[in-house]
Structure formats: structure tokens, C-alpha cells
Amino acid sequence: MNSSISFPSHAASDTLPCIAVLATGGTIAGSAADPANTSGYQAGVVGVERLLSAVPALSSVARVQAEQLASVDSKDISLALWSALAQRVNTLLATDGIDGVVITHGTDTLEETAYLLHLTVKSTKPVVLTAAMRPSTSLSADGPLNLLNAVTVAASAVAHGQGVMVAFNNRIHSARDIVKTSTYTVNAFESPEVGVLGWVQDGRVEFQRKVLRPHTVDTEFVIGANWPHVEIVASYAGASRIAVDALVTAGVRGIVVAGTGNGSIHTTVQQGLADAVAHGVAVVRGSRVGSGHVMRNGAASDDALGFISAGTLNPYKARVLLMLALAAGAAGPVVLQRVFDTY
Ligand code: SIN
């Protein structure tokens, strides 16, 4: 049998894997007065027990234990909640008898949380995030099947060692690569350039590729309570350096710039960022384009300016990596570029 495929299990229920479901809120836990209204609703108000009870088929896939960790719209995720979530996931995975973790989350910042966990979870057991674009009360809600598929992946033997994943719309994405690309469709996520890790459908889990960059047990990062202050600025026509100068005055440790094209930066903003480097601020050059690679020393001379290239990470994920790297004691453009080239 191909080792990257697993099929539906018909095991007796007491031999099924045990999967912990951590709920954090999001549209998957959203509720609307009108079932036909898919944009006017409140996210994060339906409890995890109700979400699970909408999916009776879960009982033939796994033994599920549920926890309501938070009930937030993911636009409001805080650094404190990130710390609590990562610590809880690590504690659960270190527990004998827990075979994997599923996290229900809002779609809006899912790619950031997923990448954070990908770099800080210390286990090879599967961690799978899922979400929904339509509230739980909606006609054709997408949450229940996404939840079933996420638990199916987390319960699958072939999902071990793949890093943190996202199961969404029948696809399995790596946390490193996934980005939200639609404001409203149920096919809201892509992994630009590299594609999905695999698929999950009707209980069958199939992996197509592996993530080559180090993750989980192979990173130098641990989750703590202290988060270096890192912010994001954008470059655009007519941009000024006001935001950059204000951030330096506020004492930030790092700035990620969402540049144009291949990470090019308006001359005025670029001068502000060069001055920020002179004040000891780490500056990472990313792109607002949404896919592709920011080439080191391409659209700006990183060597001369003291910048770091974000490579294939979008600005939001680059911020996550920069915060973790600074918290781990990495300093200076040479060391930080090694971090960005590695992860
Ligand atoms: C959220 O991110 O919490 C709201 C939007 C969504 O889940 O689709």
C-alpha cells in the first residue's frame, strides 16, 4: 500500500485515535439570524459541543475530547491567546493517549496562527486547523464537513511528521504555505507556488508532497509569554515615512515592509527603513503581491541597507517568524537572513 494514503477506519470505537478539539471561535462558530445571509453574522458565539453535535460521523473516525479555549473573531486574536494556544497544544500532545489536535479558528488570521504553531509545536503528532467561510447557522454551512475532515486527518497515521496543517474544502495545506485568497468563497485558501500537501475526502487521506523546511520538533523556537514588538508597514504610490518613523520612536524591535512587486520600496519609505536599521530595528523586506519570491538583493540592496529578505513568506507570516527569531535571541541581518532562509 502507498504509505502516503490512509483509508476510512472501521475499527471498534475504543481503538479509535483520541483527538483533542480546541475551539477558538471564528465563523465556523458563527451565528446569523438569517440562514441565507453569509456575511451579516456574529463570529465565535457557538460553543464547541454544538459544533461537534452537528457532525455525528465523528464518532466513527475518532474519540473526541473538546475544549473551548476562546470564543473570538480571529481578527481579535491577541499575542496572549497565541501563547495560551501554543502552550495548550504542546501540553495535550505530550499527554499519553492523545493522538492529535484539531483547532477550530477564524479564517482571517488562520494562516498566522497555523505558521506560529508550525514553528513552536514540539511533537510529530498531527495538528490540524480548520475553519469555515459560512456561519454554522447558514444554508450549506461548510464548517461541519471541514471539521470532520480535520479530525480525519488528525486521526490518520500518515499525517504524523507533516508539521502543522490546515484541512479546508477537502484540501490539506501546510501551515507554511497557506494563505487566504478570497473574501467570500468556500474555496478561500491556496498554497501559492507550491500547491496543497494533499487531500481528504470520504475518510480517505492522501498526501502528495512533504514540507522540506524544518518545523515543529526541528526548530529552535519555543513559545513564551514575551513577544518582541514587530509591526508591518506597506509601500504604495505616494507613501511617506511617517509610519516608519513613528514605529521607531515607539521602540519597535522589528518592521516588516509589504513592498511592491518583488519587494521594491518607495524611496522615501526605504530611507526611513534604512534609518530604522541604524537605530537597531530589524527590517524584513516582503511583498504585498500575494505569491512569489522576494529575491535577496533584487529590488533593493539588502546588503547595503541592512535589510532581510522575506523569501516566500508573506508579510504576516514574516512578522511571526521575525518575532520568534528575535525572542530566541537572533540579532543582526546576517543571522536573521539565515533564519528566513531556513524556515
Ligand atoms: C474570523 O476570522 O474569525 C471571522 C471570519 C471567518 O472565520 O471566516
Side-chain angles (χ1 to χ4, degrees):
M1 187 170 89
N2 185 326
S3 64
S4 68
I5 301 176
S6 75
F7 294 92
S9 165
H10 301 288
S13 64
D14 57 348
T15 62
L16 289 174
C18 182
I19 304 300
V21 175
L22 291 180
T24 68
T27 294
I28 192 168
S31 178
D34 176 1
N37 187 335
T38 56
S39 60
Y41 61 88
Q42 206 181 340
V45 291
V46 177
V48 65
E49 295 296 347
R50 241 175 83 195
L51 299 186
L52 293 171
S53 67
V55 194
L58 281 171
S59 63
S60 58
V61 175
R63 290 171 292 133
V64 170
Q65 75 173 51
E67 282 177 41
Q68 190 76 47
L69 194 81
S71 299
V72 294
D73 186 317
S74 76
K75 69 180 174 58
D76 293 325
I77 289 256
S78 64
L79 299 178
L81 181 50
W82 266 359
S83 295
L85 175 62
Q87 273 154 9
R88 187 67 191 133
V89 171
N90 276 316
T91 300
L92 285 165
L93 293 176
T95 307
D96 284 344
I98 298 284
D99 298 300
V101 169
V102 165
I103 300 161
T104 59
H105 198 286
T107 61
D108 287 346
T109 58
L110 179 145
E111 68 206 59
E112 296 167 58
T113 301
Y115 188 47
L116 172 83
L117 296 172
H118 191 65
L119 295 172
T120 57
V121 162
K122 297 301 169 203
S123 174
T124 58
K125 293 178 186 174
V127 177
V128 186
L129 285 85
T130 196
M133 288 298 285
R134 295 177 181 154
S136 66
T137 51
S138 178
L139 286 176
S140 299
D142 52 330
L145 186 56
N146 283 343
L147 180 56
L148 177 63
N149 283 338
V151 173
T152 302
V153 174
S156 163
V158 295
H160 284 243
Q162 305 274 10
V164 172
M165 296 159 277
V166 178
F168 198 89
N169 204 32
N170 290 109
R171 297 185 170 122
I172 308 166
H173 296 262
S174 167
R176 176 154 198 307
D177 304 313
I178 190 168
V179 292
K180 187 172 180 182
T181 54
S182 172
T183 58
Y184 73 104
T185 68
V186 293
N187 186 22
F189 288 95
E190 287 177 36
S191 291
E193 303 283 347
V194 292
V196 299
L197 272 186
W199 304 273
V200 49
Q201 185 168 22
D202 304 334
R204 176 184 162 118
V205 177
E206 184 171 348
F207 283 89
Q208 168 74 15
R209 67 176 180 89
K210 274 194 173 298
V211 180
L212 296 179
R213 290 183 183 237
H215 54 73
T216 54
V217 292
D218 294 323
T219 80
E220 60 211 87
F221 308 117
V222 289
I223 204 76
N226 294 327
W227 293 89
H229 190 175
V230 175
E231 298 279 352
I232 300 171
V233 298
S235 187
Y236 42 84
S240 79
R241 56 181 286 172
I242 293 172
V244 172
D245 291 341
L247 290 174
V248 174
T249 302
V252 294
R253 301 268 317 275
I255 299 174
V256 177
V257 56
T260 39
N262 193 351
S264 57
I265 308 168
H266 190 294
T267 305
T268 306
V269 178
Q270 183 165 301
Q271 187 54 56
L273 291 167
D275 293 345
V277 172
H279 280 88
V281 176
V283 172
V284 173
R285 196 168 59 83
S287 173
R288 67 184 205 181
V289 166
S291 71
H293 196 295
V294 171
M295 298 298 294
R296 184 166 174 85
N297 292 322
S301 175
D302 297 307
D303 286 345
L305 294 161
F307 294 171
I308 299 120
S309 157
T312 52
L313 290 177
N314 72 20
Y316 315 102
K317 292 187 179 190
R319 173 175 171 266
V320 170
L321 181 56
L322 183 56
M323 282 193 293
L324 290 174
L326 292 172
V334 173
V335 173
L336 287 168
Q337 188 65 64
R338 186 218 26 103
V339 168
F340 274 79
D341 291 346
T342 304
Y343 299 101

